[in-house]
Amino acid sequence: MSKRVLTTESGAPVADNQNSATAGVGGPILLQDQHLLEKLARFNRERIPERVVHARGSGAYGYFEVTDDVTGYTKADFLGEVGKKTETFIRFSTVADSLGGADAVRDPRGFALKFYTEEGNYDLVGNNTPVFFIKDPIKFPDFIHSQKRDPFTGKQEADNVWDFWAHAPEATHQITWLMGDRGIPASYRHMNGYGSHTYQWTNEAGEAFFVKYHFKTNQGIRSLSGEQAAELVGKDANSHQTDLLQAIERGVNPSWTLYVQVMPAAEAAEYRFNPFDLTKVWPHSDYPLQRVGRLVLDRNPENVFAEVEQAAFSPNNFVPGIGPSPDKMLQGRLFAYADAHRYRLGVNHTLLPVNAPKATTAENYGRDGFMATRNGSRHDKNYEPNSYQGPAQTDAALSAPLAIHGWTGTHEAPAHTKDDDFFQAGELYRLMSAEEKNRLIANIAGGLSQVSREDVIEKNLAHFAAADAEYGKRVAEAVRALRED
């Protein structure tokens, strides 16, 4: 077998990769040492900007298999036949910390899934919680700033975290989730995933339905206490990455069963909760779970940077039969996610192997830009319409149109009969066992007691009391006890 030859970026053979070229023995390095300069310059540019949120993540390939007929609700081809399989790529992540953070921390987990369908890539961007902290994207940058490292101290500050939450009463529901037993998953395999947002499905007849996605783990829910998580972080900061990688390498392929809640579009206006409010759930008693299929992960990426860090998900990547809803947070993310990838990876990030369609071919008139690799030939025009048999529109909408009315302006979301910021948080608290409530109270008090301003503490205590009188009373007592120690 012939020996492989080390080359420069231009393909020229490298004579010596151990010693730099110098002016004589022991002399200064020569500027003409092209291999040295190229090697150092490339090394300086190995890193790209990390994601502002969801920076730390792990990924895997797999497939989605349809197990139940949902063609009455959507014309999406990849969901159109029981038994049909579609290749997928998933990225799990923490939200608030940087790329160098630990896995086993109290934080929501990203659950971003790419379906490589025959009608183009469909991206479903969600979390391991069915709700979120805020309901309007205009508050998102401020929310993330409050959770990230403080500009002065360089670390996450309880004052910032709880001060924002004090002024965002709609966060009470998600806080109750986050501080509860599921706030620190034992691994990515042992948590559920949710689309969180409300999406629209449209069937062949043009009928519209609003849906919520629920991926239920088939490994069972397993979570860590704060003490267990701290111990695990000390042993292996990469615990979730290690677990996912090793499980798939052993052939223990994790899986989830996908269910959806389906709401006929006509029922949305009169539903007791605003169905497009990301801080709310649809109770299963109103809209039961309906099984769709199963997601199986069976292959690890060969290169984490190329396939996990450069993976780009955007909720505006829809396919026929699936579209957006008036969910304001979703509407904001339709722009923000794709724009973040254009900044991090460049306008041609969709040409990278992990992001490019696999079951079809992208046909459009996008050209040029950094790292352009698909610019066409002399026969391909870069405008449309044209007379040269270039790709043309289908005239078939991906989803049903949404009716709108009223005046433009900065409106609050319309109120439904049961809409407030606390009712569902209280419902969640009352569903918990005595032991779960004890741990929830301890987790909240542990953070809230570190806040330096009494008025911020009192505002947060009022939110918990509004959700449930006992809830608020117990948190207040626990905070007081910790501050008196």
Side-chain angles (χ1 to χ4, degrees):
M1 183 172 146
S2 60
K3 186 177 180 181
R4 295 173 64 189
V5 174
L6 177 66
T7 73
T8 63
E9 296 289 335
S10 62
V14 173
D16 190 341
N17 193 44
Q18 316 305 318
N19 303 287
S20 304
T22 60
V25 177
I29 286 176
L30 298 174
L31 187 63
Q32 71 183 39
D33 190 339
Q34 184 265 349
H35 177 52
L36 169 67
L37 299 187
E38 179 181 81
K39 197 172 177 182
L40 292 178
R42 184 174 184 85
F43 179 74
N44 287 344
R45 292 161 175 81
E46 280 185 358
R47 298 293 179 267
I48 61 176
E50 69 174 41
R51 290 167 168 86
V52 178
V53 288
H54 297 277
R56 180 173 183 80
S58 302
Y61 292 95
Y63 64 88
F64 179 79
E65 181 179 8
V66 179
T67 58
D68 295 78
D69 183 7
V70 291
T71 55
Y73 303 121
T74 178
K75 63 182 179 181
D77 180 71
F78 79 102
L79 299 175
E81 181 182 352
V82 172
K84 183 160 189 172
K85 291 184 178 181
T86 300
E87 185 179 356
T88 62
F89 182 80
I90 194 168
R91 185 176 186 272
F92 304 104
S93 55
T94 54
V95 174
D97 213 342
S98 63
L99 187 59
D103 285 342
V105 294
R106 188 172 297 279
D107 198 16
R109 299 299 190 277
F111 194 97
L113 187 59
K114 188 181 297 291
F115 298 83
Y116 299 104
T117 90
E118 295 169 11
E119 297 180 299
N121 290 352
Y122 171 47
D123 289 354
L124 180 59
V125 178
N127 284 326
N128 71 326
T129 60
V131 293
F132 196 61
F133 297 94
I134 54 176
K135 62 182 76 172
D136 194 303
I138 203 167
K139 300 174 75 169
F140 189 75
D142 300 294
F143 164 63
I144 294 301
H145 287 165
S146 75
Q147 309 298 301
K148 290 286 220 177
R149 296 174 184 269
D150 182 86
F152 172 65
T153 67
K155 60 190 184 73
Q156 191 179 55
E157 293 291 346
D159 276 358
N160 299 349
V161 170
W162 288 96
D163 183 41
F164 181 88
W165 286 344
H167 293 88
E170 70 267 30
T172 307
H173 192 185
Q174 173 73 322
I175 293 168
T176 305
W177 271 90
L178 179 62
M179 297 300 174
D181 281 358
R182 297 190 184 186
I184 313 178
S187 79
Y188 291 132
R189 295 184 297 129
H190 294 93
M191 67 181 196
N192 291 340
Y194 301 89
S196 301
H197 296 289
T198 300
Y199 294 90
Q200 186 204 76
W201 277 7
T202 309
N203 65 17
E204 286 286 1
E207 297 173 303
F209 304 86
F210 293 119
V211 299
K212 284 186 175 289
Y213 295 90
H214 301 249
F215 289 85
K216 300 288 189 178
T217 176
N218 294 325
Q219 290 69 239
I221 295 288
R222 284 182 50 201
S223 302
L224 303 173
S225 67
E227 294 75 18
Q228 290 171 323
E231 181 179 353
L232 183 57
V233 167
K235 292 179 180 177
D236 181 7
N238 307 295
S239 57
H240 289 31
Q241 164 70 10
T242 301
D243 176 86
L244 183 65
L245 175 74
Q246 293 182 351
I248 295 175
E249 288 296 293
R250 295 194 311 269
V252 181
N253 297 331
S255 66
W256 288 257
T257 299
L258 171 61
Y259 299 87
V260 292
Q261 291 177 284
V262 181
M263 174 189 292
E267 296 180 12
E270 301 302 323
Y271 185 49
R272 57 191 177 128
F273 305 109
N274 180 352
F276 312 118
D277 181 347
L278 187 55
T279 68
K280 304 286 195 303
V281 297
W282 303 352
H284 294 176
S285 57
D286 293 344
Y287 296 99
L289 296 180
Q290 302 186 46
R291 194 175 67 174
V292 180
R294 68 184 186 121
L295 169 70
V296 179
L297 304 183
D298 60 5
R299 178 163 63 93
N300 282 311
E302 293 295 315
N303 184 288
V304 171
F305 176 79
E307 298 167 88
V308 180
E309 287 314 301
Q310 292 195 128
F313 301 85
S314 176
N316 65 4
N317 289 340
F318 292 114
V319 292
I322 304 178
S325 78
D327 179 335
K328 292 180 78 172
M329 282 296 295
L330 173 60
Q331 293 282 324
R333 284 170 168 162
L334 296 179
F335 162 76
Y337 273 60
D339 192 57
H341 302 314
R342 295 183 193 106
Y343 162 67
R344 291 183 63 244
L345 303 169
V347 71
N348 285 304
H349 68 273
T350 55
L351 305 182
L352 296 170
V354 70
N355 298 322
K358 295 182 183 294
T360 186
T361 302
E363 293 271 16
N364 56 57
Y365 296 92
R367 296 290 186 270
D368 305 334
F370 287 113
M371 305 302 291
T373 61
R374 190 198 67 210
N375 267 19
S377 69
R378 70 176 72 182
H379 306 293
D380 297 312
K381 301 303 178 183
N382 64 343
Y383 59 87
E384 196 280 334
N386 62 62
S387 303
Y388 295 86
Q389 288 73 55
Q393 66 194 43
T394 66
D395 294 323
L398 297 188
S399 56
L402 296 171
I404 59 172
H405 64 277
W407 302 92
T408 60
T410 54
H411 306 290
E412 291 187 10
H416 291 234
T417 57
K418 286 285 187 179
D419 270 346
D420 64 45
D421 294 324
F422 310 111
F423 177 80
Q424 289 199 354
E427 291 282 272
L428 178 58
Y429 175 79
R430 289 184 287 274
L431 282 174
M432 295 181 180
S433 67
E435 293 76 14
E436 289 173 325
K437 289 178 180 177
N438 290 341
R439 291 188 289 268
L440 170 68
I441 300 303
N443 291 334
I444 293 175
L448 190 53
S449 63
Q450 299 176 40
V451 174
S452 62
R453 289 180 48 175
E454 290 292 337
D455 62 319
V456 172
I457 294 175
E458 291 302 320
K459 283 182 179 179
N460 280 285
L461 292 177
H463 295 168
F464 299 123
D468 183 275
E470 177 196 282
Y471 188 9
K473 181 174 181 290
R474 292 190 61 188
V475 174
E477 290 172 347
V479 169
R480 189 179 309 113
L482 288 174
R483 289 176 71 82
E484 289 174 352
D485 282 349

